[in-house]
Amino acid sequence: MNQPASSTPSSFRLLLVPGVNPDRWLRVWAERLPDHPVELVHAAPRDQLAVLHDGRADAGLVRLPTDRTGLQVVELWTERTVVVVPRDHVLTVVEEVDPADLADETLLVPADDLIGWADAPGDRFAGDPPATTADALDLVAAGIGALLLPQSLARLHHRTDLTYRPVRDAPTTGVGLAWLRWSDDELVQELVGIVRGRTAGSSRGRGEQTLPRTTAQPPRTAPRTVTRSRGSGERGKASRPRRGHRSGG
């Protein structure tokens, strides 16, 4: 007697680095692809490439910049750099910090640093570099120095004794969706469609032909909030034909 085929859903493994929240995309995925549950593979940014190249994840939400050898990457957004300081620090009197304001600060650069600002103003911590961002934050809380981080990581490591301020004109980091060039399949393209905001009807769904990569659209930037002036609504009214005026021929 033939055994029935296995009904176990095949999962899609998604690499996730700290500070990135994919919840809204996972909800859409669950609605469109309920037979392919997502398995999150957590990894530090320093390990993100190894996880992808070793095949431990099918795709990943990774920190940028990164080595793109052998990868397809869709850039999703850019993050501002912030400086983390104690809550009673003098830098907290301003909403944003100029690079020159860091000149008198001791900067802590952990081994897992993501900013890579080699010529940042200020003095480098004279001791051994902190092993992790969490270790560096402990030193900030102790008044040893300040720490530069992507804003999402500063939020992730929120502490009541610390706060942060954005730094103008500092190097920025980003987040992107990455996958191996030779493992570009329908499920990966479903995820690309979701993070780019395509509707279910316009996404490359399963069963559709895979389009050549040369036709892929450029990544969209994060949505911006547009503030309309009070007069913007009046412009729309002024463009309507006046009563008694016939438009066209």
Side-chain angles (χ1 to χ4, degrees):
M1 178 181 297
N2 293 331
Q3 294 294 329
S6 174
S7 60
T8 302
S10 59
S11 63
F12 183 86
R13 299 164 302 163
L14 179 64
L15 165 67
L16 193 63
V17 294
V20 179
N21 184 354
D23 284 356
R24 66 184 185 278
W25 297 322
L26 295 180
R27 286 193 293 269
V28 176
W29 178 283
E31 293 172 359
R32 296 185 189 177
L33 300 149
D35 52 338
H36 293 281
V38 174
E39 175 188 346
L40 294 180
V41 180
H42 296 274
R46 63 175 177 269
D47 300 323
Q48 63 187 16
L49 293 180
V51 171
L52 289 174
H53 285 290
D54 291 350
R56 285 176 275 165
D58 301 300
L61 293 167
V62 301
R63 287 282 170 187
L64 303 177
T66 190
D67 182 2
R68 302 191 182 196
T69 303
L71 297 178
Q72 290 275 76
V73 179
V74 175
E75 297 181 9
L76 298 177
W77 66 80
T78 299
E79 286 196 53
R80 296 192 70 181
T81 293
V82 302
V83 58
V84 183
V85 293
R87 281 197 171 274
D88 58 353
H89 195 280
V90 65
L91 291 179
T92 60
V93 301
V94 295
E95 293 298 318
E96 290 186 328
V97 174
D98 286 317
D101 297 330
L102 302 175
D104 295 330
E105 300 298 322
T106 297
L107 294 183
L108 297 157
V109 183
D112 59 359
D113 172 57
L114 295 175
I115 305 302
W117 194 358
D119 57 348
D123 298 322
R124 297 300 182 272
F125 178 55
D128 293 333
T132 66
T133 294
D135 293 334
L137 289 169
D138 288 338
L139 294 178
V140 174
I144 303 299
L147 176 64
L148 296 168
L149 284 179
Q151 186 166 341
S152 67
L153 282 184
R155 290 171 176 165
L156 177 67
H157 291 281
H158 171 74
R159 296 174 48 150
T160 58
D161 53 348
L162 301 177
T163 190
Y164 63 85
R165 292 293 184 270
V167 182
R168 298 187 187 94
D169 303 321
T172 59
T173 58
V175 172
L177 175 63
W179 66 96
L180 295 178
R181 289 182 180 273
W182 49 86
S183 64
D184 190 356
D185 60 18
E186 292 173 353
L187 290 179
V188 169
Q189 287 305 318
E190 287 283 357
L191 181 59
V192 172
I194 289 171
V195 301
R196 283 180 166 173
R198 297 185 193 136
T199 62
S202 63
S203 177
R204 293 187 200 172
R206 289 168 295 170
E208 297 181 12
Q209 289 185 343
T210 301
L211 301 176
R213 288 191 186 135
T214 54
T215 66
Q217 298 179 355
R220 298 178 182 176
T221 56
R224 296 178 296 174
T225 301
V226 178
T227 303
R228 297 183 181 274
S229 64
R230 292 185 177 178
S232 61
E234 297 300 323
R235 287 197 296 272
K237 295 179 182 178
S239 63
R240 299 172 183 169
R242 293 192 297 273
R243 181 177 299 177
H245 177 75
R246 302 172 64 183
S247 59

